[in-house]
Amino acid sequence: MTYKKLTLLLLFTHLATILLAGDTDSLKLQNRHLTSINTGVSSQISRDEAISPFNYRGKAVPIAIGYQYLGGKSLHLFSSQFSHSELKSDLPDYPMVGLTHHVQSTSFQLRYSYQRKIAAFSEYKTKLFMGGEFSGFLNLRDHFFTTYSSHIMVDYFNSLSINAFLTKEFNDGRQILFLNVSSPVVSYVLLRGTYNAYVGDKIDPLDLGENVLSQLMRSGDFVSVAKLFAIRFDLSYVRYLGDHFGINFKYNFHYYNYSQYDNLLYSRNLYNHYMAGITIRF
């Protein structure tokens, strides 16, 4: 074999190695599973007009668990989040005589979305996905007016939403930014037509001799954006410390405005979650 042929063979082998390495890195970036767990601090503002005309505010320690599969052309997201907070209004408390105004608020949500890649900007290492999301959301509020007297209100939604998801990778490949935005189009809600804690279209016909929860679940209504407007905004930053382990920082914004009674009374809630945690990639 001549030196010229040997040189060409070595050059070809070197180029092939580079190309294969590039394909492997691309595949690694495209097909990956991410799991994360987060906690931090959150703030909540709640206005429950069927019970009280006042705004209630408070803080909580949320816990969130997430899973993500990012393929070459598709994206699967699953997440759950829980928080419990005590909300206070501007009304004064008189604990010595048993008068107190606060709300024990418990929130829980489950979300799953499937999205397809609609655009990629290789120059900026950015991808855009769009698709749909199914979510379940519970907001249970126990309104206390005296030390021993309270009324329970519930917002429960199962929603189908439109979803947009953006990924941005930075030059070193160890830093990734995720942006996720969703808003429901149609929802199955419980306790529509609630006028107060004792009177409502779904409360009045309840048979206390049967399973109350089962009756409420069967008597739900499908509503559109006109009755339930909600938007979620999730911003996540992940910094990998190795091939499989990283730390992340998340900001979650969630607002909804739900018509409780004939566009007269509303449940309005605003959440801001600030969290940090760990991410495992495999």
Side-chain angles (χ1 to χ4, degrees):
M1 181 180 292
T2 64
Y3 287 104
K4 183 177 181 179
K5 291 182 178 179
L6 180 59
T7 302
L8 290 174
L9 180 60
L10 291 174
L11 180 60
F12 176 80
T13 304
H14 179 64
L15 290 175
T17 303
I18 294 176
L19 291 174
L20 289 173
D23 291 341
T24 302
D25 292 340
S26 176
L27 184 63
K28 182 180 178 181
L29 291 174
Q30 289 181 357
N31 298 283
R32 58 192 174 194
H33 302 264
L34 306 178
T35 59
S36 62
I37 182 169
N38 293 80
T39 189
V41 63
S42 67
S43 64
Q44 179 183 350
I45 302 176
S46 178
R47 183 183 178 95
D48 209 338
E49 294 180 348
I51 291 292
S52 171
F54 297 99
N55 292 327
Y56 290 79
R57 296 176 172 84
K59 298 186 182 301
V61 179
I63 299 175
I65 299 174
Y67 166 78
Q68 170 184 312
Y69 171 72
L70 180 60
K73 296 182 179 180
S74 63
L75 172 70
H76 297 263
L77 291 174
F78 172 82
S79 65
S80 64
Q81 188 166 304
F82 171 84
S83 66
H84 176 79
S85 57
E86 181 174 306
L87 310 178
K88 294 279 191 177
S89 72
D90 293 330
L91 294 174
D93 290 335
Y94 301 96
M96 296 295 295
V97 293
L99 296 178
T100 177
H101 297 86
H102 69 276
V103 177
Q104 295 288 338
S105 177
T106 301
S107 299
F108 180 73
Q109 65 177 356
L110 285 172
R111 302 167 63 187
Y112 168 76
S113 67
Y114 173 77
Q115 302 173 60
R116 299 287 295 178
K117 185 173 69 176
I118 63 170
F121 309 95
S122 56
E123 180 180 356
Y124 302 101
K125 296 185 177 180
T126 302
K127 298 176 183 177
L128 177 62
F129 297 80
M130 289 199 71
E133 176 185 277
F134 175 77
S135 63
F137 177 77
L138 169 70
N139 182 4
L140 177 66
R141 303 176 301 281
D142 198 359
H143 290 258
F144 284 85
F145 301 98
T146 69
T147 305
Y148 304 104
S149 176
S150 66
H151 300 298
I152 292 179
M153 295 294 290
V154 178
D155 293 338
Y156 179 80
F157 319 131
N158 285 325
S159 303
L160 286 175
S161 307
I162 56 173
N163 220 155
F165 189 88
L166 185 75
T167 67
K168 163 66 178 174
E169 297 179 359
F170 295 94
N171 293 331
D172 62 2
R174 293 185 178 273
Q175 302 177 68
I176 306 176
L177 194 67
F178 300 107
L179 174 63
N180 188 22
V181 181
S182 65
S183 183
V185 177
V186 62
S187 303
Y188 183 77
V189 304
L190 302 186
L191 294 172
R192 272 276 298 149
T194 298
Y195 187 74
N196 58 39
Y198 302 103
V199 179
D201 296 342
K202 311 298 181 181
I203 298 175
D204 296 342
L206 287 177
D207 183 356
L208 300 181
E210 298 183 9
N211 189 302
V212 174
L213 180 60
S214 176
Q215 294 177 70
L216 291 176
M217 293 297 291
R218 294 196 306 266
S219 64
D221 298 286
F222 286 97
V223 300
S224 65
V225 179
K227 302 297 183 183
L228 171 61
F229 171 77
I231 186 168
R232 290 188 178 98
F233 175 94
D234 301 285
L235 183 64
S236 304
Y237 169 79
V238 181
R239 172 69 181 184
Y240 288 103
L241 306 178
D243 292 336
H244 304 287
F245 178 81
I247 58 175
N248 67 70
F249 302 93
K250 293 187 176 184
Y251 168 68
N252 171 261
F253 170 91
H254 181 201
Y255 169 78
Y256 72 86
N257 183 8
Y258 171 52
S259 175
Q260 295 172 309
Y261 185 81
D262 292 340
N263 297 321
L264 177 66
L265 302 175
Y266 293 88
S267 172
R268 297 184 175 96
N269 285 264
L270 173 64
Y271 299 86
N272 285 285
H273 302 284
Y274 306 89
M275 294 180 286
I278 60 173
T279 296
I280 299 175
R281 175 172 62 181
F282 56 95

